[in-house]
Amino acid sequence: MIQDLYKNQPDDKGHFGIFGGRYVAETLMPLILTVGDAWKEAKNDPSFWKEFEYLAKYYIGRPSPLYYAERLSKKLGGAKIYLKRDELNHTGAHKINNCLGQILLAKRMGKTRIIAETGAGQHGVATATVCALFDMPCTIYMGATDVERQKPNVFRMKLLGAEVKSVTSGASTLKDAMNDAMRDWVANVEDTYYIIGTTAGPHPYPEMVRDFQSVIGNETKEQMKEHEGRVPDILVACIGGGSNAMGLFYPFLGDKEVKMYGVEAGGYGVDSGKHAASLAGGRAGILHGNRTYLLQDEDGQIKEAHSISAGLDYPGIGPEHSWLHETGRVEYVSITDDDALEGFKLLTKMEGIIPALESSHAVAFAAKIAPSLSEDNIMVVNLSGRGDKDIFTVAQHLGVEI
Amino acid sequence: MSRIKNTFERLKKENKKALITFITGGDPDYETSLELFRSLPENGADIIELGMPFSDPMADGEAIQKASIRALANGADMKQTLKMVKEFRKGNQETPIILMGYYNPVYAYGVEDFCKKASEAGIDGLIIVDLPPEEDEELRIYADNNGISIIRLITPTTDENRLKIILNGAGGFLYYVSITGVTGTASADVNKITPHIEMIKKYTTLPVAVGFGIKTSDDVKVMARISDAVVVGSVLVKEFDAKDGATAISEIQNIVRVLSKAV
C-alpha cells in the first residue's frame, strides 16, 4: 500500500531512505535516545494530544481558516486558489504549533530549561511565548547579523522573558545559532530541552515536528471536504527547513491524485550561487544531526545560504523532503527574491492579506502556474506566516523610507 | 603490529602514559602547520591527533573553532590534510596519527576512497565526533579493510548499557570525554571521572585516553594516574590566535615539553 509507505517513515532509527538518522556527539546520544522514547510514549498517549488540542484551540486559535481567495483566483484566471491561513495563529506563524507540542514533551520529561535557535526570530518568539505560558526559563540563540536586522523580534523575545544570545561564531546567522544551541545542549544535558524549530536535526525531531505541524494538513483535508467535497489537486508551500510544508503535505502523501510543490528560496537565482535552495543547488551530506541535502563546497564545507526572507535562509532542508525529492512524490521548485516580492505585493493588493516573505515564495509560485490551469483545479497555498515582521525589508527593497 | 598498539606497549614497559596532542591541520597555514606537526614527537608527543578543518565544528569550543576558520581561510581541505600526513611520514614511521573531525568532509570526499587514501598516507585511526555507533557502519567497513581504527568516544553521560554498544566495534583506544561540554571550556574533575574509568576498564582491555578541559601540568598529572593517555588540544591551538607562526610554534613546543614530563 502506497499509504503505508509514506505513513511508516521514518524507520525506528529515524531514516527516511538514506536520509535522516542521528549524527550527534556521543555526549548527546543518551539524551537523544531518551527524547525518542519520551516522544514514542507521548504520541501514543491520548491525554498528551488532549492537552495539545485544547491549547491549540483556545491558545493558538486553531483551526485556522481555509479561505477561498476569489479575487486572486479570478485575477490569475485559472485554478481555484485556497489559502490555509496559519498566519492567523497566535504569534503570527505556524511555528507555534510545534513549540506547543515540544514544550508539553519537555514538561513531561521533567526538563526545567529550554533552548532554541532562531533566524528571523519567528521560532524564537514562539518558543519564548510557550516558555512564558509554562513558566520555564529559556535561552534563544540568534546570529549577530540577524539580531541586528530583526530588532523588533529580539525585543519581543526579551519582553516574553527570554534571554537572547547573540552568536558571533561563523557567519553569525541561523546555522551558527544552531551550532551554538547544540554546544549549549552538550554542556547542559541534565536539565535542558532543545526545541528545534523545523523538521531537521537528529531523530526524533524531523518526525516529531512533522507530526505537530500535521495539524495544518489534517485541518485542510477536513475543511476542503466541506468546501468542495473532495481532496485538492495541488498543494503549495515554501521551504526553508520545511516544517510548514511537511505539515501540509504529510496527511496527503498517500492521496496519489494530489500533486505537491515545495518552493525553495531561489535568492538571486539558483545559477548565481546566492540562494537557499538545498535541493536544487546542493547535495547529500551531514549537518546538525541528520543526513540531508546541503549547500556545500567540493570539500564538504557548508556554504552560507542567501534569501530575502530570513526564515528560509538555511543551507539545509529537512531529511524527509530530501527523501520525497528523490522518490519523486513531491516536486521541488524555486522562486527568486524578486518574484517573492511580487507575490508579497500581489496577495496584499488582491486579498488584503500581507504574507510573510517566506510564504510569499509559495504565493509567487502559485501565481506562476495558476493561469495555465482550469477552474476545476483546486489549489491550496499554505500561508505559513504574516508579513508584519517584513515591512522594513520590503520597504528597503522598494526604495521606500518608513 | 599497529603503531597505536606498539606505542601503548612501549610506554607500558617504560611505566609511562601517553601524551596525545591535538592540532588542527593547516592552522594557520599549510607550511606552519606541517612544521609544527613534524616537531611534536621530538618535543614529547606520543600520539598526534590532526584535526580535519570543518566549517561547523559543533562539539568544539572557541579555540578549536577559530583554528578551523584560520585553516579554511588559508585554503585547507581534505586533500591537503592527507598530504600533510604523507609528508610527516617521510621522517617518522612510529608516531600514531589520528585524524579527528566531523563526518561531512569525509562523506564529501567519498568514504571508501577516503579510507584508502588515508591508509596510504599513513593514518592509524579516525575520530569522527558526530558519527555515533548507530551510524558509523558505512565508514567502519572501509576503515577496517584499510587497517584504520575507529576510535570511539565515551562521555560522562555513558551508562553501562550504552558502553557495551560503544565498545562493540571500537578500535585503537577509547577516548573518554571528561566533561559534558565542548572542547577547551570547563575543567575536568578527577573525582567524578575515576569511577567512570573504572567502569570502562571492567569491560575492555583497550587503552583509555582522557580529553576535553585539560589545561595544565597538574591536570595532566592527575589524569595520567587514572588513565592510559591524556589529550591536550585547545591549550595548544589557541597560541596561533594572537601570535605569529614562528612564536606560536615555539610556545606550543614549550607547552608540549612541559606537559610530557607530567604524564
Side-chain angles (χ1 to χ4, degrees):
Chain A
M1 286 279 283
I2 186 146
Q3 278 91 339
D4 295 339
L5 171 66
Y6 293 111
K7 285 286 170 206
N8 293 339
Q9 299 292 332
D11 69 15
D12 59 357
K13 286 183 176 169
H15 297 113
F16 303 89
I18 67 159
F19 301 104
R22 281 181 288 233
Y23 296 87
V24 295
E26 184 56 37
T27 310
L28 282 178
M29 271 310 282
L31 178 56
I32 291 287
L33 293 168
T34 310
V35 173
D37 291 343
W39 162 238
K40 218 186 273 172
E41 235 183 74
K43 78 174 169 187
N44 293 311
D45 178 355
S47 73
F48 178 79
W49 290 108
K50 213 175 146 193
E51 191 172 5
F52 179 82
E53 278 155 19
Y54 178 87
L55 287 165
K57 183 172 176 185
Y58 294 104
Y59 188 70
I60 298 180
R62 302 209 70 91
S64 69
L66 183 67
Y67 164 72
Y68 171 40
E70 194 174 352
R71 275 199 80 209
L72 178 69
S73 303
K74 297 230 159 104
K75 156 103 177 163
L76 294 168
K80 204 170 173 185
I81 300 172
Y82 283 84
L83 303 174
K84 179 58 176 164
R85 307 256 339 245
D86 254 52
E87 101 282 8
L88 292 175
N89 292 341
H90 179 43
T91 72
H94 71 293
K95 292 289 183 191
I96 189 92
N97 303 329
N98 166 49
C99 291
L100 172 62
Q102 288 202 49
I103 202 153
L104 291 176
L105 185 73
K107 212 178 66 159
R108 196 182 166 96
M109 292 178 70
K111 298 292 179 186
T112 55
R113 173 177 175 262
I114 299 293
I115 55 170
E117 85 293 340
T118 196
Q122 292 305 97
H123 175 58
V125 167
T127 302
T129 298
V130 295
C131 286
L133 179 66
F134 285 94
D135 191 23
M136 289 232 227
C138 82
T139 302
I140 309 290
Y141 287 89
M142 189 169 185
T145 313
D146 293 332
V147 168
E148 195 47 46
R149 63 182 176 188
Q150 304 287 342
K151 280 181 186 155
N153 270 345
V154 174
F155 187 58
R156 285 168 83 191
M157 287 186 266
K158 287 183 179 165
L159 282 175
L160 289 160
E163 178 193 14
V164 179
K165 281 208 172 154
S166 174
V167 176
T168 53
S169 62
S172 312
T173 57
L174 178 57
K175 95 178 158 72
D176 309 294
M178 199 152 177
N179 290 339
D180 265 20
M182 290 273 193
R183 289 179 186 122
D184 179 313
W185 210 19
V186 169
N188 299 288
V189 278
E190 288 302 320
D191 64 346
T192 298
Y193 182 92
Y194 181 9
I195 299 187
I196 294 180
T198 191
T199 48
H203 179 63
Y205 284 94
E207 173 195 311
M208 176 165 65
V209 177
R210 174 199 71 194
D211 288 356
F212 289 135
Q213 293 294 1
S214 288
V215 65
I216 300 171
N218 286 326
E219 286 175 8
T220 301
K221 219 171 193 178
E222 282 298 310
Q223 292 163 325
M224 192 52 90
K225 223 181 270 169
E226 281 166 33
H227 282 291
E228 302 280 350
R230 67 178 179 93
V231 291
D233 301 297
I234 296 167
L235 305 176
V236 181
C238 68
I239 298 196
S243 70
N244 89 79
M246 231 29 258
L248 176 65
F249 296 169
Y250 184 65
F252 290 99
L253 286 175
D255 298 305
K256 266 190 300 195
E257 64 275 35
V258 181
K259 179 138 183 62
M260 303 176 195
Y261 292 99
V263 185
E264 295 193 288
Y268 299 135
V270 173
D271 295 335
S272 73
K274 288 196 178 304
H275 59 84
S278 315
L279 292 176
R283 58 179 206 282
I286 291 92
L287 182 72
H288 293 152
N290 63 141
R291 185 186 338 237
T292 193
Y293 273 71
L294 300 171
L295 300 179
Q296 54 182 317
D297 69 12
E298 279 292 293
D299 192 45
Q301 309 298 335
I302 308 305
K303 286 204 255 185
E304 285 302 321
H306 163 79
S307 169
I308 188 171
S309 91
L312 304 183
D313 210 343
Y314 180 69
I317 184 169
E320 193 163 8
H321 285 296
S322 292
W323 181 69
L324 292 170
H325 167 66
E326 291 208 343
T327 58
R329 177 64 187 93
V330 177
E331 190 174 330
Y332 293 88
V333 295
S334 62
I335 282 291
T336 62
D337 288 354
D338 288 346
D339 287 348
L341 269 173
E342 290 306 313
F344 179 94
K345 290 194 281 185
L346 177 69
L347 192 67
T348 303
K349 288 211 170 120
M350 295 310 298
E351 296 289 347
I353 297 170
I354 302 178
L357 278 171
E358 289 79 8
S359 320
S360 299
H361 286 73
V363 173
F365 181 74
K368 214 176 188 178
I369 60 166
S372 64
L373 301 166
S374 83
E375 47 188 280
D376 302 335
N377 291 125
I378 300 168
M379 186 192 294
V380 176
V381 177
N382 202 12
L383 222 55
S384 53
R386 65 173 179 233
D388 311 38
K389 69 181 174 61
D390 293 317
I391 54 169
F392 300 104
T393 310
V394 172
Q396 198 190 341
H397 280 268
L398 298 179
V400 180
E401 224 173 285
I402 47 174
Chain B
M1 215 200 306
S2 82
R3 292 187 194 99
I4 297 174
K5 214 169 174 191
N6 274 341
T7 300
F8 278 105
E9 287 191 354
R10 172 178 59 77
L11 289 168
K12 201 170 186 180
K13 272 180 211 152
E14 296 168 17
N15 212 9
K16 279 188 195 153
K17 304 295 174 69
L19 178 68
I20 305 180
T21 55
F22 172 96
I23 59 168
T24 297
D27 170 30
D29 56 66
Y30 179 76
E31 296 300 330
T32 312
S33 189
L34 179 61
E35 189 188 334
L36 172 64
F37 185 26
R38 280 175 159 153
S39 76
L40 288 171
E42 72 206 42
N43 286 288
D46 298 301
I47 297 173
I48 302 170
E49 283 178 13
L50 192 63
M52 302 177 276
F54 183 47
S55 54
D56 295 81
M58 272 165 292
D60 284 300
E62 203 183 342
I64 294 176
Q65 287 176 39
K66 283 186 174 168
S68 252
I69 292 167
R70 282 192 299 265
L72 291 172
N74 286 318
D77 61 12
M78 192 63 88
K79 276 183 202 140
Q80 186 191 282
T81 305
L82 295 174
K83 188 174 136 202
M84 253 181 92
V85 178
K86 229 175 211 172
E87 288 297 314
F88 175 94
R89 278 282 173 250
K90 285 179 183 167
N92 181 315
Q93 282 299 324
E94 296 78 39
T95 308
I97 304 298
I98 316 294
L99 288 187
M100 182 166 185
Y102 297 80
Y103 192 36
N104 201 50
V106 172
Y107 186 71
Y109 194 96
V111 173
E112 184 175 6
D113 195 32
F114 170 80
C115 289
K116 203 167 145 260
K117 299 270 166 56
S119 172
E120 285 165 9
I123 284 151
D124 303 285
L126 289 175
I127 303 175
I128 309 293
V129 181
D130 56 350
L131 195 64
E134 282 83 349
E135 303 286 356
D136 78 1
E137 197 181 338
E138 66 183 40
L139 174 67
R140 203 147 39 86
I141 290 170
Y142 299 113
D144 282 351
N145 285 345
N146 287 284
I148 296 173
S149 303
I150 295 287
I151 290 152
R152 293 248 176 98
L153 301 161
I154 297 172
T155 80
T157 61
T158 308
D159 64 14
E160 265 175 287
N161 286 329
R162 180 85 197 147
L163 178 62
K164 288 175 202 162
I165 294 169
I166 294 170
L167 290 176
N168 183 13
F173 58 90
L174 295 160
Y175 190 128
Y176 185 79
V177 176
S178 66
I179 52 165
T180 51
V182 294
T183 51
T185 48
S187 282
D189 176 355
V190 70
N191 294 321
K192 282 191 183 161
I193 296 166
T194 309
H196 277 115
I197 306 282
E198 283 166 2
M199 173 181 85
I200 297 165
K201 290 282 186 188
K202 270 202 301 193
Y203 289 96
T204 180
T205 53
L206 284 175
V208 178
V210 177
F212 280 45
I214 292 168
K215 300 180 178 86
T216 65
S217 260
D218 283 347
D219 292 342
V220 170
K221 207 175 283 174
V222 171
M223 292 303 166
R225 227 176 280 150
I226 60 163
S227 66
D228 304 295
V230 181
V231 190
V232 287
S234 297
V235 76
L236 306 181
V237 301
K238 77 172 174 18
E239 290 297 321
F240 285 117
D241 212 12
K243 299 183 181 99
D244 68 87
T247 316
I249 286 184
S250 89
E251 280 298 325
I252 294 168
Q253 289 168 339
N254 264 333
I255 298 171
V256 173
R257 273 198 302 274
V258 172
L259 296 181
S260 73
K261 294 198 179 82
V263 285

